[in-house]
Amino acid sequence: MNLEPPGSGASTDGSAPPAALDAAALARLRELDPDGRQGLLARVLAAYESSLRGMIDQLHAALDAGDAGAVAGLAHKLKSSSASVGALALAASCADVERRLRGGVPGDLAADVARLLADGEAALHAVGAMLRP
């Protein structure tokens, strides 16, 4: 399985990942399965993609319910998994939203969720491009 984005001209050695994914984070995952025989990177990305899709649905539901606590909890869950696969923009957004909501700082819940959704969709697109070139 080629884990590079379509049309990137990148080889399976990990050069030039999709823009929404950090090359260094992907390289760390590749180091755990250097010859790729175990399919670790593909399995991790597929699990992340599935989880992220579910959490995007949950973010929509939390916004509809006006549940800032649920949004903070989802941001917390997404933060580390996103960082581990190199979705650093999403991880940073999650950290910011979680910190603000847990700190009780007033803000716009709809704007917070929109930010998480936009970054989440970008991460989904990038992961999908790697899994299904």
Side-chain angles (χ1 to χ4, degrees):
M1 172 182 296
N2 181 9
L3 291 179
E4 300 306 323
S8 70
S11 66
T12 57
D13 68 0
S15 59
L21 299 179
D22 179 67
L26 293 172
R28 285 189 298 273
L29 288 171
R30 282 187 180 94
E31 288 172 3
L32 299 173
D33 183 20
D35 60 12
R37 282 190 232 170
Q38 303 301 315
L40 179 71
L41 181 59
R43 290 194 335 251
V44 168
L45 290 176
Y48 174 75
E49 181 184 45
S50 176
S51 175
L52 180 55
R53 284 186 192 286
M55 287 192 201
I56 284 174
D57 291 341
Q58 291 174 40
L59 281 168
H60 284 289
L63 176 60
D64 290 345
D67 190 344
V71 172
L74 289 163
H76 177 78
K77 289 177 187 177
L78 277 171
K79 182 176 53 182
S80 62
S81 62
S82 296
S84 71
V85 299
L88 301 184
L90 178 55
S93 292
C94 288
D96 291 344
V97 168
E98 179 190 16
R99 182 175 38 257
R100 192 184 63 66
L101 292 176
R102 293 209 191 268
V105 177
D108 182 350
L109 187 61
D112 289 338
V113 171
R115 179 179 175 192
L116 295 177
L117 291 173
D119 289 342
E121 290 295 335
L124 274 178
H125 178 74
V127 169
M130 289 187 72
L131 290 173
R132 293 171 297 282

